[in-house]
Amino acid sequence: MAKVELKGITKIYDGNVLAVEKSNVTIEDKEFCVFVGPSGCGKSTTLRMIAGLEDITAGELLIDGELMNDVPPKDRNIAMVFQNYALYPHMTVFDNMAFGLKLRKVDKMEIKRKVEEAAKMLDLTTYLDRKPKALSGGQRQRVAVGRAIVRSPKVFLFDEPLSNLDAKLRVTMRAEISNLHHRLQATMIYVTHDQIEAMTMGTKIVVMSEKRIQQIGAPLYLYNHPINKFVAGFIGTPPMNFFTLKIEEKDGKIVANEGSFTLTPTPEQQEKLKAYVGKEVYFGVRPEDLEYQAAPAAENNMQLKVTNKEPLGADTHVFVQVKDKTIVARVAPDVEVQLGDSINFVPNMAKSKFFDYQTEVNICEEIKNTWSDTNSSTGAK
């Protein structure tokens, strides 16, 4: 397939509107790379620049080492699957899948072989004579994917392909696209605003915010080692809890004081936090790392008031108050709590994070930098 390289890619629209700034990413051959971030962060614009649907203002795009900046989309040997399927309503499933090959004047028997092969792979064989209006949303999306497969492109591009599907179907299609990647061993670039899609599908994730790349890495690496507060809060469901603590020195130890409770960081964290004595920092802890205590713990105990709860079967989400913030803890389903109760939690300090109050950079970890970027505000080391 292909290796894709973005070197300082920038997009500025008319009126000096910045859409993407200095993106540096290397997507290796056969990788499934997911660009994820909130609406307006620049992820879809980046994908469209790779496809050739948007001009590149600055920087270089290379596919297999060949500069693509001025190469027309039809000559880049890529295939794109859109959010809205982009199927021809008057054509059958067969003709929709075969359309690109017919334009290239591929032999009819070869077209038939490729379409039938892709249809079998996507469980569409019995639908080849139907038109899109007779298909479900999931089947239409499979047709769009099949149209891409028959072209045997170097790179597959997916632009939020599951956002129009219902929740149950999205889960099914996530698995189907992941299996397709495994079977085709293709280079795939996928854009989504859904971090669950990113975590479950990608071998590499590119987190974007405010037109820039924040962090790149494997899903679990980003989950366990976020480079800044944005990445920490974006990756993970439910999201990481944040509140403000003041760093103090007490009896020769560095502690983090909230007012109603005091936390003792790990020795490694204390060493990094020495420079923050007398200053406020953000403290981040994931819901699953807030450990419920039936009785107050001797150290790091947080006694918090329950404001809501959501029983989910396998576990229960308990919402509690920290000053003016509501945070969530994930507890076992047999833990009985009532609204208004004051209950005890101990955060797993080894898994908790501290972030600079001004820059929002992760204070206590040296984050592995997997890309080259001059943007110091990301906290890259």
Side-chain angles (χ1 to χ4, degrees):
M1 287 293 171
K3 177 179 180 180
V4 180
E5 298 171 90
L6 281 64
K7 298 185 176 182
I9 293 293
T10 297
K11 176 64 181 180
I12 301 174
Y13 287 108
D14 292 342
N16 205 32
V17 177
L18 179 67
V20 177
E21 184 178 10
K22 296 180 181 177
S23 287
N24 293 284
V25 189
T26 297
I27 301 157
E28 300 293 346
D29 183 31
K30 300 177 184 178
E31 271 193 328
F32 195 127
C33 181
V34 181
F35 283 75
V36 65
S39 297
C41 69
K43 57 189 185 297
S44 288
T45 301
T46 300
L47 193 76
R48 290 175 65 81
M49 286 192 284
I50 296 171
L53 302 178
E54 296 283 359
D55 293 333
I56 297 170
T57 305
E60 295 182 341
L61 168 67
L62 292 90
I63 298 179
D64 270 350
E66 185 178 347
L67 187 65
M68 290 284 152
N69 288 43
D70 299 319
V71 175
K74 65 183 180 64
D75 298 326
R76 296 191 182 196
N77 199 8
I78 54 93
M80 191 161 178
V81 179
F82 295 92
Q83 177 180 343
N84 61 356
Y85 321 135
L87 301 178
Y88 295 104
H90 62 287
M91 292 184 183
T92 64
V93 168
F94 182 97
D95 289 334
N96 265 286
M97 292 173 66
F99 186 72
L101 299 179
K102 289 178 179 178
L103 286 180
R104 295 180 179 184
K105 303 189 185 305
V106 175
D107 178 75
K108 286 184 178 180
M109 291 305 295
E110 179 67 4
I111 291 175
K112 185 173 185 295
R113 183 189 68 80
K114 286 193 169 188
V115 170
E116 289 179 349
E117 188 178 90
K120 184 178 180 181
M121 192 182 301
L122 295 165
D123 197 22
L124 289 171
T125 303
T126 58
Y127 303 100
L128 289 175
D129 293 329
R130 296 190 187 183
K131 292 184 178 178
K133 66 180 180 181
L135 304 177
S136 67
Q139 289 164 342
R140 292 178 195 177
Q141 195 56 277
R142 285 197 199 102
V143 175
V145 172
R147 183 175 55 194
I149 291 173
V150 298
R151 293 181 55 193
S152 302
K154 282 188 174 182
V155 184
F156 288 85
L157 307 179
F158 295 85
D159 189 8
E160 305 214 35
L162 309 184
S163 59
N164 287 339
L165 306 180
D166 63 56
K168 185 177 180 181
L169 193 52
R170 281 203 301 272
V171 174
T172 302
M173 287 300 297
R174 284 205 310 260
E176 288 191 10
I177 293 174
S178 294
N179 289 336
L180 192 64
H181 173 251
H182 180 72
R183 292 170 68 177
L184 296 177
Q185 289 294 289
T187 304
M188 293 186 173
I189 305 174
Y190 189 103
V191 160
T192 180
H193 64 275
D194 186 338
Q195 60 90 22
I196 294 178
E197 285 183 23
M199 290 289 288
T200 56
M201 298 173 73
T203 57
K204 173 184 283 183
I205 297 178
V206 180
V207 183
M208 294 189 71
S209 176
E210 300 294 332
K211 328 299 182 188
R212 295 192 66 102
I213 292 172
Q214 300 295 312
Q215 190 174 4
I216 302 173
L220 285 180
Y221 186 83
L222 298 189
Y223 178 85
N224 291 314
H225 307 286
I227 201 166
N228 57 29
K229 184 172 176 275
F230 174 81
V231 176
F234 196 83
I235 299 294
T237 303
M240 181 178 279
N241 300 299
F242 299 103
F243 43 92
T244 304
L245 301 176
K246 187 173 183 180
I247 303 302
E248 299 173 350
E249 189 167 359
K250 185 179 181 181
D251 299 329
K253 285 186 176 181
I254 302 297
V255 297
N257 187 1
E258 189 274 337
S260 58
F261 56 82
T262 299
L263 304 177
T264 302
T266 66
E268 294 80 8
Q269 290 169 340
Q270 289 188 48
E271 190 63 33
K272 297 284 188 179
L273 290 167
K274 283 181 179 177
Y276 288 84
V277 172
K279 298 179 181 179
E280 290 186 330
V281 298
Y282 288 114
F283 177 73
V285 58
R286 296 197 182 279
E288 55 269 34
D289 295 327
L290 278 171
E291 299 166 4
Y292 169 76
Q293 306 290 311
E299 186 177 59
N300 292 337
N301 192 74
M302 301 164 56
Q303 191 173 70
L304 305 170
K305 185 177 180 181
V306 178
T307 60
N308 196 11
K309 65 176 183 177
E310 294 179 346
L312 299 174
D315 53 28
T316 298
H317 292 171
V318 177
F319 296 83
V320 291
Q321 200 75 19
V322 178
K323 287 186 178 175
D324 59 341
K325 282 185 173 291
T326 298
I327 67 171
V328 60
R330 180 180 284 165
V331 303
D334 57 350
V335 174
E336 294 187 8
V337 297
Q338 303 299 325
L339 301 190
D341 285 354
S342 289
I343 58 176
N344 301 288
F345 290 99
V346 171
N348 184 331
M349 296 305 294
K351 293 185 176 181
S352 299
K353 311 296 177 186
F354 291 90
F355 302 94
D356 186 286
Y357 197 77
Q358 302 300 323
T359 65
E360 301 189 352
V361 167
N362 188 331
I363 294 169
C364 298
E365 295 181 77
E366 295 290 330
I367 305 299
K368 182 170 65 178
N369 189 352
T370 57
W371 82 105
S372 175
D373 195 336
T374 57
N375 182 21
S376 61
S377 68
T378 61
K381 303 294 182 185

